[in-house]
Amino acid sequence: MHAISDATRDTVDGVLAYARRRALWKDVPLDGPVSPEELAARASGSITADGIGAERATALFADVLAPTTLSIDHPGYLAFIPCAPSKAAIAFDLVVSASAIYGGSWLEGAGAVFAENEVLTWLAGEFGLPEGAGGVFVQGGTVGNLSALVAARDVARRRNREDVRADPPRWLIVCSSEAHSSIAAAAAVMDVDVVPVPVGADGRLYGDGVAAALAAHGDAVFAVVATGGTTNFGIVDDIASVAAAAKERDVWLHIDGAYGLAAMLIDRMRPAFAGVELADSVIVDPHKWLFAPFDACALIYRDPEQGRAAHTQRAEYLDTLTERPDWNPSDLAVQLTRRPRGLPLWYSLAVHGTEQYRAAVDHGIRLAREIADEIARRDGLSLVREPQLSVVVFRRDGWSLADYEAWSARLLADQRAFVVPSSHAGEPVLRFAIVNPLTTFELLAGILDTLA
C-alpha cells in the first residue's frame, strides 16, 4: 500500500484525474439521496479480503456513491448554510492531504501553522480585535463555540481561586433565545446551564435583557454569547449593547459568527457588528461564507494565553512540545490531533487577494436584497422579515408544511434546486441561504416561478 509502484502510481493518477474533472465541472449536478435499500443493492461488497482495485473503487464512488450525495457547491443549493469553496481552495485541499502535515504543533508543522496564523491575524484585524489576538482552525462552529466557552469557564474558575472564592453550584451561560443549537450542545458537554434571554420583535438580543440576566444570576454566569448572524434569519444581535452589559460585570463575551461574521469584510455592513471588537473570543466558519471546503472554523481569542491555559494537554510524551514557547494550535482548543484545515483558505486568499473575497461576500448580500424585493412584488408570496445579511425567509400564502415539503421534493427531483422548509414562531416557511457567488437572480426567480 505504501510502496511506490506502478499500481500506486495508477491509483494516484486515477484519483487525481477524477478530482480534476469534478473540480472543473461547469454544470455540477445537484444529485440527491436514495434509500438505504437501493444503495445496499448497488454498492455493497466493496470491502473484501483482497480488495477490488483502484479502478473499480474509483468507479464505484464516481458512478454510484457520489450521485447519491448532494453537491453542496451547486448554485441551487440554498438550504441550511451552503458551502461554495473556491477552485483554488479545493485544489489546495488535495495538497494538504498529500503533504502529510501534522498541524498541531510548531515543532512538527511550523510552515503550515505560520500560514494559518497569517489568515487568523487578517481576520482578527477585520473584526477589530487588538494586535496579539490569535487562535486556531477547528472542525466547525460547534467545536469552536465549545472551545471558547471552556476557556471562558477556566478564566472564571481561576479568578475565583485568586479571590479565594467558591465556585457556584452551577455555572451559567447567558445567550439569546435564538442562539445556535451548538451553544446548548456545548453547555450539555460542559455540564453547565443556559439562561436564554428573550429577543426583541426584530429577533435581536439586546443589552438590557442581558443585564437583567446577569443581575439575576450574579457570579454564576461565566460567559455571554452574542450571535453575529443567526442561521435561520441571518440576524445580528445588538452586539454593542450586549458587550456593554457583559463588560460592566467583567464577564467573558463570545461572538458566534459562524455564518454571518464574514459580512464584516464589507464596509457598509460593519456598523451592524459594532461591539465585536470588545469580544474575548469569536468564531467564523470559512466553509460557510469564506469559500473554503469543509471543514474549517476559525476560533480567535482576544488573549490567546487564556485559550492556552484552558486547553494545553499535559503528558510526559508531550513535554517536548508544551515546555517550548512555541505557538502550538492544539493548545488552543479541545483537540490534540489536527490537520492544518486553514491552509486551503490561506492558499485561496494568497492566490486571489482579499478584495475578491469582499466582492464575493457582497454578492450574497446584494442578491438577497434583490430577491427579497422580487418576493415582495409577487402575489401570493410575502417576506417573513427583511433580510439583513444573505438569508431570505418568506412564505407562500395559504400553504401548509405538507405543501412545502411536496414542493421541495419536486424541486430536488427536477434537479432545479435544494430548498427545504424551515419554521418561525410555529409557522412553516421557506428560506434562501445565499452564499455561492454562482447563484444568480435568474435562478432564484425561476424557483419562485414554481411557487405560482
Side-chain angles (χ1 to χ4, degrees):
M1 293 189 295
H2 298 83
I4 305 302
S5 64
D6 288 344
T8 53
R9 289 189 188 93
D10 289 344
T11 297
V12 172
D13 288 346
V15 169
L16 292 179
Y18 173 80
R20 186 179 191 279
R21 289 195 303 274
R22 176 57 179 83
L24 298 177
W25 212 340
K26 286 187 177 180
D27 296 313
V28 175
L30 185 57
D31 292 327
V34 298
S35 70
E37 293 76 17
E38 183 176 345
L39 266 180
R42 298 175 59 198
S44 292
S46 59
I47 307 302
T48 67
D50 297 320
I52 62 174
E55 185 174 352
R56 285 184 61 194
T58 303
L60 177 62
F61 179 78
D63 300 336
V64 179
L65 300 177
T68 65
T69 63
L70 279 160
S71 299
I72 312 298
D73 59 343
H74 188 282
Y77 187 104
L78 300 159
F80 312 114
I81 299 293
C83 177
S86 70
K87 302 306 181 186
I90 290 171
F92 206 75
D93 205 27
L94 294 173
V95 173
V96 172
S97 295
S99 299
I101 299 169
Y102 171 67
S105 73
W106 185 270
L107 177 64
E108 296 160 283
V113 174
F114 179 88
E116 287 186 313
N117 285 347
E118 290 281 279
V119 180
L120 292 166
T121 298
W122 172 68
L123 287 173
E126 292 293 324
F127 303 151
L129 296 174
E131 185 176 351
V136 58
F137 287 95
V138 296
Q139 175 257 340
T142 297
V143 174
N145 284 331
L146 173 62
S147 298
L149 292 170
V150 167
R153 184 177 60 179
D154 184 73
V155 167
R157 282 173 167 170
R158 290 174 185 272
R159 183 181 298 150
N160 282 350
R161 300 294 83 77
E162 292 171 1
D163 296 342
V164 194
R165 185 170 55 195
D167 289 341
R170 297 287 296 176
W171 287 107
L172 303 174
I173 299 167
V174 168
C175 64
S176 160
S177 58
E178 299 290 323
H180 191 268
S181 58
S182 62
I183 303 302
V189 170
M190 297 171 68
D191 192 26
V192 302
D193 295 328
V194 171
V195 178
V197 177
V199 298
D202 56 3
R204 304 175 74 196
L205 177 67
Y206 285 91
D208 54 356
V210 171
L214 293 175
H217 297 284
D219 293 336
V221 179
F222 69 88
V224 170
V225 179
T227 304
T230 59
T231 300
N232 206 28
F233 276 94
I235 294 170
V236 180
D237 287 339
D238 185 24
I239 297 172
S241 68
V242 172
K247 295 306 170 184
E248 183 178 359
R249 296 187 68 98
D250 198 20
V251 175
W252 183 288
L253 174 65
H254 175 63
I255 308 299
D256 177 4
Y259 150 62
L261 207 56
M264 286 191 73
L265 297 183
I266 309 304
D267 285 342
R268 72 178 185 281
M269 298 303 300
R270 289 182 183 272
F273 294 89
V276 168
E277 70 280 1
L278 300 174
D280 295 289
S281 58
V282 305
I283 66 160
V284 64
D285 287 357
H287 63 231
K288 291 186 169 76
W289 214 2
L290 287 173
F291 317 112
F294 289 123
D295 47 19
C297 167
L299 163 61
I300 305 174
Y301 296 101
R302 184 181 201 84
D303 178 2
E305 286 303 319
Q306 293 177 320
R308 188 173 287 112
H311 291 293
T312 298
Q313 297 186 31
R314 306 288 179 181
E316 291 177 348
Y317 67 92
L318 296 174
D319 286 348
T320 190
L321 302 178
T322 57
E323 293 182 1
R324 293 168 176 258
D326 294 335
W327 187 284
N328 297 325
S330 288
D331 293 342
L332 297 167
V334 287
Q335 58 184 5
L336 184 61
T337 302
R338 70 176 293 271
R339 73 193 303 267
R341 51 176 45 88
L343 286 183
L345 175 59
W346 164 79
Y347 183 75
S348 187
L349 279 165
V351 168
H352 297 298
T354 59
E355 292 309 302
Q356 286 203 43
Y357 270 74
R358 297 187 204 280
V361 171
D362 194 35
H363 168 82
I365 298 170
R366 292 183 182 278
L367 184 53
R369 182 67 266 166
E370 290 176 17
I371 202 62
D373 292 342
E374 179 67 17
I375 289 168
R377 283 192 292 266
R378 294 197 178 205
D379 293 336
L381 301 180
S382 56
L383 290 170
V384 177
R385 179 175 281 134
E386 295 290 336
Q388 186 176 13
L389 300 180
S390 69
V391 174
V392 182
V393 183
F394 60 104
R395 62 175 67 85
R396 169 67 159 83
D397 298 340
W399 271 22
S400 67
L401 177 59
D403 293 322
Y404 286 127
E405 288 176 339
W407 170 83
S408 175
R410 289 194 302 271
L411 201 67
L412 181 58
D414 293 341
Q415 291 289 281
R416 296 192 64 155
F418 182 56
V419 183
V420 297
S422 183
S423 65
H424 172 64
E427 176 193 10
V429 295
L430 292 176
R431 61 187 284 281
F432 290 155
I434 304 167
V435 165
N436 196 327
L438 298 180
T439 301
T440 64
F441 177 84
E442 290 73 22
L443 185 152
L444 298 178
I447 295 171
L448 297 182
D449 291 341
T450 67
L451 291 164

